[in-house]
Amino acid sequence: MENIQTPEYAIETKNLFIFYGSFPAVSEVNMRIEKQKVTAIIGPSGCGKSTLLRAFNRMNDFVPSSYVTGEILLQGQNLYGKDIDPVEVRRKIGMVFQKPNPFPKSIYENISWGAKINGFKGNMDELVEQSLRGAALWEEVKDKLKKSAYELSGGQQQRLCIARTIAIQPEIILMDEPASALDPISTLRIEELMQELKQNYTIIIVTHNMQQAARVSDYTAMMMLEKDGSRSGTVIEFSETKKIFTNPKDKRTEDYVTGRFG
Amino acid sequence: MNPNRDHYPKGEALHRSLSRRYRSASIWQTLFFSALVIAILSLAALLYNVVDGAFGYVAFEYKNDPSEFTSKALDDLNKQELLDILTTNLSSGAFKKLDNEKAMEKRSKSDLYTLVLERLIQIDTKQTWSMTDSIFRSSEIKAEVAKKYPDAKLEFRSWLTPVFLTTPMSSKAEFAGVRTAILGSLWMVGIAILFALPIGTGAAIYLQEYASKNFLNRVIQTNINNLAGVPSIVYGMLGLAIFVRALEPFTSGSMFGVTDSNGRTILSAGLTMGTLVLPLIIINAQEAIKAVPDSLRQAAFGVGATRWQTVWHHVLPNALPGILTGSILAVSRAIGETAPLIVVGASTFISLDPEGPFSKFTALPIQIYQWTTRAQSEFHSIAASAIIVLLILLLSLNATAVLLRNRVQRKY
Amino acid sequence: MKQENTIMENKIFRPLDLKKKMRPAESIIQSLLFISGVLSIFITVAIVYELGKEALLFFNNPDVTFAKFFGTTQWQPGIGLFGIWPLVTSTLVTSFIAMFVSLPLGLAAALFLSEYASPKARSALKPILEILAGIPTVVYGYFALLFMTPLLQKIFGDGVEVYNMLSAGIVMGIMILPLISSMSEDALSAVPRALREGAYAMGATKFETSIQVVLPAALSGIGAALIIGISRAVGETMIVAVAAGSGPNFTFNPFKAAETMTGHIARISGGDLSYNSIDYNSLFAIALMLFLVTLVLNLISQGIINRFRQRYE
Ligand SMILES: Nc1ncnc2c1ncn2[C@@H]1O[C@H](COP(=O)(O)OP(=O)(O)OP(=O)(O)O)[C@@H](O)[C@H]1O
Ligand SMILES: [Mg+2]
């Protein structure tokens, strides 16, 4: 009964370590991610940002050597608990990847498929339209819903991936460098989209773009390799974005966000 | 937009729908797996079927009673006694002929024993049974034999024996062996590889190391891939038209003074088979050459080597294990191929060892084909034995190839 | 010592010369390699020429008309019956049965191996398929005649003839299964990881991902496997020569004996055949048809595979 948690947190990690074989890619992460806010994870390449993000919806299960210790709690339930079904976890925590990866199906089916397999009972056309509107794509594709998703531009494909994620109406949306393969205008649209989406969803985004983090996020987690030479990454500072960018506690954070890093 | 989560199953319903999804998934997974089970069962059935045919009861009668030739039991005779029996009972002409093939004194005891059975006592096989029947219906079989063939003896026999490997063809299944067939297969494969390996490796080197990406080279590549898919019997027809017929003076050996042969020789068969495995060898050699890292070539060019020097000193030595693996696979393909040999005219009844490329010949799969299509069950038994020989041969070849491949893999 | 001298000389006295040099040995080797490469084209040309020449002789025979060839259903060139259909229908029936067996089984095996099997299970199961693929077809012929046919007779009763197309077709399917399975597996594993992850991230189960996302994405590769499989079945000789029957027979009944195109070539050419007879020429006409059919199938399949590769690169 200790499971009843303070409800304002979307996700909470406790003493989280993530291993690839014997290599601890991420060590000792303790953070509480707020509901209906955008949280950015920043840090140098290879420090474990993607690893941490993928741990949140158990995508790391597909790397056979990987495992975690510690806890990731969603509404008080440990995502890595014995009786937890990873499929249900992913149903609640959607993900948008770095490179757009639409299915080789029509635009319509890209969205309806996830809904269908998850037992959606409502009006499918409505859902497709709603989701596409939600991803700010409706106006551009409403006349070619039956066309292959591969005919869209990269930026449109990425918004389609966001649309298909919100179609299954998860609680949390994870985004791993969602705009890194896109041009500035598409990037801007995705950033605007995030601002809208956070009214209803909790968003966690990994980005290499400091300005982007500063623009879109409410909270920022700064990750770094640990100083002890283990090449293992950890969260060295986690607080409001404003604070990270104007008044960081950690010297390394300051160096990184002001571009003096390395 | 306000997400409306009501349309998705929740709580208990979600659990139920999920477990339904899982259930159908596991049913399908079982179905997928059962395809592999069927494959395994087929393989098991095939092997069992072959072994089942190669051992079992055989009911036979002696045309001439052994007591006409000796007072002792046949199995107790020593070599000299067997020889004496042959000397006294065979016509002198028949004895001389056998002596010419191989000196009688030099023959082994089991060889002589076979001769006594084959030439003097003369076995007449009445019926054979599979191994399974022989084991599980032993008493029924005995009763059946006693009724149907009162004079016959019943014996549990292994059709696959050392003698089977070393005796030539015979028109009687009991005395037939695969010696000539094995030798014919070896000759044929030897010629095929001698022909295809250098040309195939050369073509692979050309395509990987020299060819630019122009139209001709693309045609060559596509063409090779297509040749690999041409039915083997079409190669047989090609061999028949070109090697057997058009090049008859060469393949029959008449160009070289050999007179007693037409174009249906080991040489024609070997060249036909070489043509058949050529695309296979090229494709495998290309893979092996592709696997040699580019840094090696650059290093060689960097110290001023010409292209051929680079290929000869660096690329080929590193690709060699792969090329050899490919040729072993080609050899096993050639050994098992039957259709082209039928078309180019392998003889089915040859009891003399092949002497050279201009001999008529038979081959292991040809014998299997012949014996399988005979009606009498004793021929099925020796077909099964020949299949076992063929499969063991192929298995050892492939094991060699796997070992070679593993050694290559360890290197990079 | 001597060698050192020449090196020194080179350094000191030879003027720098970067012009192209004639390297006769290199050119000779290169030409030899080129000839080896071109030989394969020569083989194709020889096949087309030789088969075409004899086939032409066959079709130029005044007794042979296209109307007879495609319009009648009896094939006995020796006595002037030139209807090709009995050989074609039996080829179609056996190939169809073979694909009916090998496509679902091969595809299911590929799905299991690429999507479900643990690495350990894979390394245990794949060699079994490789062994099946390495067994000579004449051995499959033995298996068809002496195992499958008796089995079918037990199941379906006396309607099954000693030689029949069903048994040959089923065993041919088993023979082709490893080919279909390994080509399909290649196609399935060529589907990018990102696509699977996209599906998983939406709460799809492993099964839903592999059937509804990976399988459709690999469909063209699987189509290529199917086509290659058909080409194999059409060209396969020994199984049908041993088990399908030895005499042209115009029938679609799989329980009946009927000789296929390949089986017919094997039987007729196996005897003593005189070179300038109509029988001899007719075999080449059949072989030419076989060659063209398999060539077209192989080309289509290769085209599909190339397109498929480009898509995901
Ligand atoms: N599948 C894997 N198997 C083994 N090690 C891995 C695997 N994926 C990542 N790693 C290792 O884990 C560490 C963290 O990788 P991760 O991809 O999480 O970094 P990242 O912070 O996302 O980097 P980037 O900014 O470049 O995307 C790296 O040292 C990487 O080598
Ligand atoms: Mg990353």
Side-chain angles (χ1 to χ4, degrees):
Chain A
M1 291 303 104
E2 53 157 18
N3 270 354
I4 298 164
Q5 277 281 324
T6 38
E8 59 265 33
Y9 299 121
I11 281 193
E12 178 173 11
T13 72
K14 282 186 177 164
N15 223 346
L16 177 69
F17 285 72
I18 309 169
F19 292 84
Y20 290 116
S22 59
F23 165 60
V26 171
S27 328
E28 206 168 0
V29 173
N30 290 294
M31 59 199 287
R32 288 172 165 177
I33 289 167
E34 298 270 343
K35 268 193 169 169
Q36 304 196 347
K37 293 278 189 282
V38 178
T39 300
I41 303 177
I42 60 173
S45 194
C47 67
K49 302 182 296 295
S50 302
T51 302
L52 177 61
L53 196 71
R54 291 164 64 89
F56 287 152
N57 71 341
R58 298 195 53 168
M59 285 308 271
N60 277 336
D61 288 15
F62 299 109
V63 181
S65 68
S66 80
Y67 65 95
V68 309
T69 65
E71 294 182 333
I72 301 178
L73 301 170
L74 174 78
Q75 293 169 359
Q77 293 188 66
N78 182 5
L79 296 186
Y80 283 84
K82 278 221 165 56
D83 51 348
I84 296 294
D85 185 337
V87 171
E88 258 182 87
V89 170
R90 293 184 205 116
R91 162 76 186 73
K92 286 278 186 303
I93 307 182
M95 184 163 195
V96 176
F97 298 81
Q98 180 170 358
K99 265 173 55 193
N101 57 350
F103 303 124
K105 301 173 187 275
S106 73
I107 294 169
Y108 185 95
E109 286 170 314
N110 256 280
I111 293 167
S112 64
W113 184 73
K116 222 181 286 163
I117 58 163
N118 284 305
F120 178 72
K121 293 277 182 339
N123 182 331
M124 189 63 81
D125 292 345
E126 229 164 69
L127 178 77
V128 170
E129 178 173 347
Q130 255 182 32
S131 312
L132 284 169
R133 280 192 196 284
L137 191 60
W138 174 251
E139 292 303 325
E140 290 157 73
V141 301
K142 64 179 179 203
D143 299 324
K144 45 180 181 180
L145 292 175
K146 296 275 172 276
K147 290 267 169 63
S148 162
Y150 282 21
E151 288 174 21
L152 299 176
S153 75
Q156 289 172 327
Q157 287 187 3
Q158 192 65 306
R159 274 178 283 145
L160 179 64
C161 291
I162 294 175
R164 81 178 176 200
T165 305
I166 54 185
I168 59 166
Q169 286 151 5
E171 311 282 337
I172 300 171
I173 300 177
L174 309 172
M175 299 186 175
D176 192 351
E177 304 182 41
S180 68
L182 306 181
D183 67 288
I185 294 183
S186 308
T187 305
L188 196 65
R189 307 208 56 163
I190 302 238
E191 286 179 10
E192 287 166 5
L193 186 56
M194 274 188 260
Q195 292 307 321
E196 272 175 46
L197 290 176
K198 79 173 182 189
Q199 327 255 333
N200 296 309
Y201 304 94
T202 307
I203 294 176
I204 309 176
I205 172 176
V206 167
T207 178
H208 275 289
N209 184 329
M210 290 308 118
Q211 284 84 8
Q212 186 172 61
R215 274 196 304 267
V216 301
S217 70
D218 307 296
Y219 291 86
T220 297
M222 176 70 213
M223 286 188 77
M224 279 277 172
L225 290 186
E226 289 206 284
K227 280 182 282 189
D228 58 11
S230 63
R231 305 217 37 82
S232 167
T234 190
V235 174
I236 58 166
E237 192 169 352
F238 177 44
S239 64
E240 284 172 36
T241 302
K242 246 193 308 186
K243 244 175 103 188
I244 292 270
F245 280 89
T246 54
N247 186 17
K249 270 195 293 206
D250 196 296
K251 179 78 170 63
R252 287 171 292 168
T253 311
E254 187 182 338
D255 290 348
Y256 188 79
V257 297
T258 53
R260 263 177 281 149
F261 178 77
Chain B
M1 183 193 88
N2 219 338
N4 184 353
R5 297 185 171 114
D6 293 343
H7 292 305
Y8 285 105
K10 267 203 278 294
E12 221 5 72
L14 174 62
H15 271 296
R16 250 182 291 121
S17 96
L18 243 175
S19 57
R20 202 173 47 242
R21 281 157 69 188
Y22 280 135
R23 212 165 329 112
S24 86
S26 73
I27 291 171
W28 278 99
Q29 187 178 343
T30 315
L31 278 179
F32 293 161
F33 182 68
S34 59
L36 280 159
V37 172
I38 291 177
I40 294 169
L41 286 180
S42 306
L43 180 61
L46 189 149
L47 295 177
Y48 162 76
N49 182 226
V50 169
V51 172
D52 198 35
F55 306 90
Y57 273 129
V58 45
F60 59 93
E61 287 172 3
Y62 291 139
K63 274 221 178 99
N64 305 308
D65 201 272
S67 59
E68 290 171 29
F69 307 102
T70 170
S71 50
K72 284 200 206 169
L74 220 43
D75 291 327
D76 297 338
L77 296 174
N78 64 27
K79 192 179 156 185
Q80 190 53 47
E81 287 166 318
L82 286 166
L83 190 57
D84 290 343
I85 294 175
L86 285 167
T87 326
T88 44
N89 293 295
L90 275 176
S91 72
S92 61
F95 189 88
K96 249 224 182 87
K97 189 158 166 260
L98 287 169
D99 203 37
N100 271 345
E101 277 171 20
K102 188 173 176 188
M104 286 306 235
E105 283 78 28
K106 291 214 184 92
R107 292 180 184 235
S108 67
K109 185 186 156 199
S110 65
D111 206 359
L112 293 175
Y113 180 82
T114 311
L115 278 177
V116 170
L117 280 183
E118 183 181 358
R119 296 300 174 106
L120 300 175
I121 296 170
Q122 295 187 13
I123 283 180
D124 182 17
T125 300
K126 294 295 183 194
Q127 196 174 345
T128 67
W129 288 267
S130 70
M131 187 175 70
T132 320
D133 281 351
S134 304
I135 293 172
F136 294 108
R137 294 182 38 231
S138 169
S139 49
E140 283 171 55
I141 291 174
K142 280 177 184 147
E144 189 186 335
V145 170
K147 209 167 99 210
K148 263 164 75 184
Y149 319 107
D151 295 334
K153 292 189 172 19
L154 190 66
E155 195 176 74
F156 191 89
R157 170 168 177 168
S158 159
W159 293 88
L160 179 65
T161 58
V163 180
F164 182 71
L165 295 177
T166 50
T167 40
M169 256 310 281
S170 161
S171 57
K172 302 232 75 183
E174 299 80 9
F175 304 108
V178 285
R179 176 198 174 89
T180 32
I182 291 178
L183 290 173
S185 280
L186 293 181
W187 266 101
M188 185 267 307
V189 165
I191 291 172
I193 282 297
L194 228 53
F195 168 72
L197 186 56
I199 294 181
T201 312
I205 294 174
Y206 171 74
L207 286 169
Q208 290 308 124
E209 302 287 326
Y210 287 86
S212 53
K213 278 213 151 105
N214 61 25
F215 178 72
L216 174 67
N217 295 326
R218 266 207 309 278
V219 170
I220 294 180
Q221 187 71 63
T222 312
N223 181 51
I224 287 169
N225 294 345
N226 277 318
L227 278 180
V230 170
S232 58
I233 197 156
V234 171
Y235 281 101
M237 298 301 282
L238 178 73
L240 174 62
I242 294 200
F243 299 125
V244 174
R245 218 181 143 188
L247 298 179
E248 177 154 16
F250 170 65
T251 50
S252 69
S254 61
M255 241 162 91
F256 311 99
V258 179
T259 47
D260 62 339
S261 191
N262 57 19
R264 297 176 183 272
T265 56
I266 290 188
L267 183 58
S268 293
L271 291 174
T272 305
M273 209 54 99
T275 316
L276 187 151
V277 296
L278 185 65
L280 223 71
I281 291 190
I282 297 178
I283 291 170
N284 278 319
Q286 276 186 290
E287 290 303 321
I289 292 172
K290 249 186 236 167
V292 177
D294 234 8
S295 57
L296 211 65
R297 293 184 186 86
Q298 280 152 14
F301 287 132
V303 297
T306 64
R307 192 166 277 280
W308 175 246
Q309 284 165 335
T310 306
V311 168
W312 183 248
H313 293 288
H314 298 285
V315 177
L316 269 190
N318 280 289
L320 201 62
I323 295 176
L324 287 182
T325 311
S327 348
I328 294 177
L329 296 179
V331 165
S332 24
R333 169 87 189 272
I335 285 187
E337 272 296 345
T338 320
L341 297 182
I342 296 177
V343 178
V344 296
S347 317
T348 47
F349 193 87
I350 294 263
S351 59
L352 289 181
D353 293 352
E355 285 165 348
F358 305 120
S359 301
K360 286 180 186 305
F361 73 106
T362 183
L364 211 40
I366 291 284
Q367 287 309 329
I368 295 171
Y369 171 54
Q370 275 302 319
W371 289 335
T372 303
T373 47
R374 295 284 293 262
Q376 303 93 323
S377 62
E378 62 265 32
F379 283 98
H380 298 164
S381 296
I382 54 175
S385 310
I387 288 175
I388 294 178
V389 174
L390 180 64
L391 291 183
I392 290 176
L393 200 62
L394 289 177
L395 202 65
S396 34
L397 275 171
N398 282 308
T400 319
V402 168
L403 285 181
L404 255 169
R405 197 195 302 167
N406 289 349
R407 274 188 61 175
V408 187
Q409 274 171 355
R410 233 173 281 141
K411 210 161 127 204
Y412 292 123
Chain C
M1 275 317 267
K2 208 168 177 191
Q3 214 180 350
E4 255 168 53
N5 271 341
T6 43
I7 289 175
M8 292 292 284
E9 276 163 26
N10 278 349
K11 245 189 200 155
I12 297 168
F13 297 116
R14 248 236 215 122
L16 190 60
D17 176 13
L18 294 177
K19 286 208 198 81
K20 270 197 179 157
K21 293 177 193 62
M22 285 295 290
R23 299 185 201 276
E26 291 267 326
S27 325
I28 292 172
I29 287 169
Q30 188 168 348
S31 332
L32 284 177
L33 295 175
F34 177 70
I35 291 170
S36 312
V38 170
L39 186 78
S40 68
I41 293 198
F42 178 74
I43 293 174
T44 307
V45 172
I47 291 176
V48 173
Y49 173 76
E50 286 293 341
L51 301 189
K53 187 182 72 180
E54 303 285 344
L56 213 62
L57 284 177
F58 172 74
F59 285 114
N60 280 346
N61 187 303
D63 292 342
V64 184
T65 60
F66 267 91
K68 264 192 189 170
F69 193 70
F70 289 113
T72 62
T73 57
Q74 283 198 340
W75 178 262
Q76 273 317 318
I79 55 169
L81 295 172
F82 300 109
I84 191 68
W85 285 111
L87 299 181
V88 173
T89 52
S90 57
T91 300
L92 289 179
V93 170
T94 50
S95 302
F96 179 82
I97 296 170
M99 295 326 290
F100 190 77
V101 170
S102 65
L103 187 65
L105 288 182
L107 193 53
L111 274 166
F112 185 83
L113 286 174
S114 86
E115 305 288 314
Y116 293 103
S118 65
K120 227 172 163 182
R122 267 177 63 91
S123 61
L125 291 170
K126 280 207 78 159
I128 290 172
L129 292 179
E130 279 165 19
I131 292 175
L132 270 181
I135 289 177
T137 55
V138 68
V139 178
Y140 279 108
Y142 176 96
F143 180 60
L145 184 66
L146 298 174
F147 182 89
M148 195 54 80
T149 299
L151 185 67
L152 294 174
Q153 284 172 329
K154 249 181 225 146
I155 298 173
F156 297 110
D158 287 341
V160 182
E161 296 181 356
V162 174
Y163 299 104
N164 65 81
M165 295 188 280
L166 182 59
S167 160
I170 292 175
V171 172
M172 204 146 83
I174 296 171
M175 179 205 87
I176 296 171
L177 188 160
L179 176 82
I180 302 272
S181 134
S182 85
M183 280 185 74
S184 306
E185 213 195 320
D186 287 348
L188 290 170
S189 57
V191 173
R193 229 179 104 107
L195 220 55
R196 293 166 207 264
E197 292 193 335
Y200 288 135
M202 299 174 68
T205 62
K206 199 163 181 164
F207 173 72
E208 287 155 351
T209 305
S210 45
I211 293 299
Q212 301 185 33
V213 174
V214 180
L215 186 65
L219 217 53
S220 54
I222 291 163
L226 169 70
I227 292 170
I228 284 280
I230 296 175
S231 145
R232 246 317 162 73
V234 169
E236 168 49 34
T237 309
M238 292 321 295
I239 298 175
V240 288
V242 171
S246 47
N249 183 5
F250 183 69
T251 175
F252 286 97
N253 183 347
F255 292 162
K256 290 236 177 321
E259 194 168 53
T260 66
M261 294 159 77
T262 52
H264 183 73
I265 297 178
R267 178 171 62 91
I268 301 298
S269 67
D272 265 331
L273 189 58
S274 62
Y275 286 150
N276 290 313
S277 62
I278 184 93
D279 265 326
Y280 181 84
N281 296 337
S282 72
L283 294 189
F284 283 84
I286 300 172
L288 183 66
M289 284 174 58
L290 268 180
F291 174 74
L292 293 178
V293 168
T294 52
L295 179 76
V296 169
L297 289 175
N298 292 346
L299 279 174
I300 295 175
S301 161
Q302 236 184 7
I304 294 178
I305 289 177
N306 287 343
R307 279 248 303 279
F308 182 65
R309 252 191 221 131
Q310 273 164 15
R311 169 126 64 100
Y312 289 123
E313 251 161 26

